[in-house]
Amino acid sequence: MAETERADLGAMVLRLGRRLLAMEQPILERHGVTMWAYVVLTALRDGPARAQASLAAAINADKTRLIPVLDDLQRRGLIEREPDPADRRVRLLGLTPEGRRLQQAVQAEIRKGEEVILAKIKDQAAFVRALGELSA
């Protein structure tokens, strides 16, 4: 196929994204979390506590849309919100042990599903690396 005959990157990424979301949705439902909740848990996984505003910026979410997700995660004991000692108006977010366990369990299942999709590609590491670079 000539270069001009291939689908546009946006079209290909959209189809892949839809396929991935269709694979992930039943996993998220089994664990009782939404995609936004999983995104929040994953963003909080590796770092020290984060302010709500910096979390919203990191995951490209509107702060007002994020509040109900955070409320639900806190109510379920998956995250903690603590006042920032340096600025009592700011709330710092962190995972609870249960939140960490849930994030890891969901991610493990998602990665298994991704393996099925990636099995079609000879150089999986190069694809994942390129996708990471393009999406950064």
Side-chain angles (χ1 to χ4, degrees), residues 19-91:
R19 185 170 177 201
L20 289 168
L21 289 173
M23 178 270 298
E24 293 173 4
Q25 194 57 44
I27 295 167
L28 296 169
E29 287 173 4
R30 266 195 310 280
H31 289 277
V33 292
T34 65
M35 180 58 79
W36 276 111
Y38 175 65
V39 168
V40 167
L41 294 173
T42 300
L44 295 175
R45 174 194 61 207
D46 294 327
R50 298 178 85 153
Q52 289 179 194
S54 68
L55 172 66
I59 64 174
N60 199 22
D62 181 83
K63 288 186 289 188
T64 58
R65 180 178 182 168
L66 192 57
I67 299 299
V69 175
L70 296 175
D71 288 344
D72 179 60
L73 291 173
Q74 183 179 19
R75 196 171 25 256
R76 295 172 58 194
L78 301 171
I79 66 166
E80 297 172 328
R81 282 171 158 153
E82 302 289 334
D84 183 343
D87 183 348
R88 307 279 298 157
R89 296 168 297 173
V90 174
R91 298 283 176 203

Side-chain angles (χ1 to χ4, degrees), residues 22 97 105 115 121 132:
E115 288 174 13
I121 300 173

